[in-house]
Amino acid sequence: MESSTTTSYSVVSELEGTLLKNPKPFAYFMLVAFEASGLIRFATLLFLWPIIALLDVLGYRNGSLKLMIFVATAGLHESEIESVARAVLPKFFMDDISMDAWRAFGSCDRRVVVTRMPRVMVERFAKDHLRADEVIGTEIVVNRFGYATGLIQETNVDQSVFNSVANLFVDRRPQLGLGRHIISDSPTFLSLCEEQVHAPVPSNYNGHNQRLHVQPLPVIFHDGRLVKLPTPATALIILLWIPFGIILAMIRIFVGFLLPLWAIPYVSRIFNTRFIVKGKPPAPATAGNAGVLFVCTHRTLMDPVVLSYVLGRSIPAVTYSISRLSEILSPIPTFRLTRIRDVDAEMIKKELSNGDLVVYPEGTTCREPFLLRFSALFAELTDNIVPVAMNYRVGFFHATTARGWKGLDPIFFFMNPRPVYEVTFLNQLEVEATCSSGKSPYDVANYVQRILAATLGFECTNFTRKDKYRVLAGNDGTVSYLSFLDQVKKVVTTFKPFFH
């Protein structure tokens, strides 16, 4: 096969089995079922998997696709599907990208992605991360109230994709087509392309193109509770584990309330929870001396609690958006930021005069190996700064959420079979590295961000809390204090999907 080095090419590429290594979209519909609806729909779709697989084997690809779409989306509001497509699916799509296919796809000027999945599930990822110009997929039928019927407009999906590609390239055929070799009664879009490359794409294809995009744009922010892609086997394990996980979480939380903080890292080993401590933590503040300000990376709601566990004493934490329930259940004192700079500065100074304090300058959590921009407020208030690098590992469930109810975060964390927390204490900043030496607060904040990122092997970014919430929740992350009735409504909304 002769490689083309022309950079004016247009390319049409199939998503499943080409740009994505996995040719089966079942796991992505499982994600929609779980994240947009709940366990009942998730379990229903899993129990129908043998029928879906059988239809595929017998050649009824359209039938199996329509069954998956119906079970995963029927009755969901269109906005709920879009929310999952925006906040959850991109992470799992990115993890499955074939870099060989991407190199051929990314080297062309005009890029079109075709998929058998509903367009609404794919479009955000394809345009934001794969830099696609157009996305062609199936269209879900939505009623006048905005709810998905579970049906699609297309009768023959392959024929519909063929027609859409033909209409898109009326004046000139696309130069390159990437896709699987599939025996079908209908013509495929590959027959419209001047050059056809079947998946898997050779690793040396377009290897000398100087305009090649080395990598797709990374996924920095993502949401959803599931850590692993719910393939049939993984989904079954998750379903079987959930009852045991809930019981285990309740036991772990109950034990945490009963025992003194210093004892928890030792007793937690019995319940398969690990705390890994590196570095030398500072001694407690003595009477009459200002406390130490622990400046930490922010990974989960459990960060300040874990810090108190490993130090063996209660360290008050400055918070912003944790739920009222989390504040009530917290074993350590918490102080809410108002986001009014002068008010917050006075509050932090007051608490530091009473002893040690922990702050999270990122202002929100980030799951990926990136650090958000650090607020410089902490650097203005004290020179007694101890950077702390915190990270965690879980197997089944994420302990953070931007779209859901944050009060469930500790429960999901402790539902994991073997949660692990790593806490690395760095040396207290030298006076030369603080504002006392004439450095600006921004220089100090950026320096602390860099050394924490280097410790964790992360990358520094300029993204903020607002950027995260705009991507994941469609708002700027501003917290409003809800009435009791509004809080009840939010809790009910959280659990409503279990009864779809």
Side-chain angles (χ1 to χ4, degrees), residues 2 56 68 110 125 145 149 189 206 268 278 281 298 321 326 330-331 333 348 368 419 429 465 481 487 489:
E2 184 178 349
D56 271 338
M68 286 187 287
R110 187 182 183 190
F125 168 74
F145 302 106
T149 63
F189 73 91
N206 259 347
S268 64
K278 301 176 182 178
H298 202 6
S321 62
S326 297
S330 175
I348 293 175
E368 292 300 296
L429 292 191
R465 173 190 175 84
Y481 298 106
Q487 292 185 52
K489 288 179 180 178

Side-chain angles (χ1 to χ4, degrees), residues 278-332:
K278 301 176 182 178
K280 184 179 179 181
T286 57
N289 294 326
V292 166
L293 185 64
F294 294 99
V295 178
C296 305
T297 56
H298 202 6
R299 309 304 284 173
T300 79
L301 180 73
M302 294 296 298
D303 290 345
V305 179
V306 171
L307 183 66
S308 294
Y309 287 165
V310 300
L311 289 172
R313 63 184 190 275
S314 179
I315 307 294
V318 175
T319 67
Y320 177 60
S321 62
I322 68 171
S323 71
R324 292 295 187 185
L325 177 63
S326 297
E327 286 184 327
I328 294 170
L329 297 179
S330 175
I332 62 173

Side-chain angles (χ1 to χ4, degrees), residues 19 97-106 130-131 213-216:
L19 286 171
I97 283 290
S98 166
M99 292 308 299
D100 292 333
W102 159 253
R103 279 188 282 269
F105 180 80
L130 300 184
R131 304 181 178 93
H213 292 298
V214 178
Q215 288 185 340

Side-chain angles (χ1 to χ4, degrees), residues 205-248:
Y205 188 84
N206 259 347
H208 300 289
N209 195 318
Q210 298 301 312
R211 294 187 58 195
L212 181 68
H213 292 298
V214 178
Q215 288 185 340
L217 294 178
V219 176
I220 296 178
F221 303 119
H222 61 95
D223 203 26
R225 291 295 188 181
L226 295 183
V227 173
K228 299 180 182 296
L229 184 69
T231 61
T234 302
L236 180 59
I237 293 172
I238 291 172
L239 275 179
L240 294 175
W241 172 256
I242 284 176
F244 299 101
I246 293 174
I247 295 171
L248 183 58

Side-chain angles (χ1 to χ4, degrees), residues 267-286:
V267 178
S268 64
R269 297 173 187 173
I270 301 173
F271 302 101
N272 217 20
T273 303
R274 292 182 61 205
F275 299 102
I276 301 172
V277 182
K278 301 176 182 178
K280 184 179 179 181
T286 57

Side-chain angles (χ1 to χ4, degrees), residues 174-187:
Q175 282 84 5
L176 178 62
L178 307 174
R180 292 172 291 167
H181 182 70
I182 296 175
I183 300 176
S184 174
D185 296 334
S186 304

Side-chain angles (χ1 to χ4, degrees), residues 4-17:
S4 172
T5 58
T6 304
T7 59
S8 59
Y9 269 17
S10 57
V11 59
V12 181
S13 177
E14 187 175 14
L15 184 69
E16 303 94 310

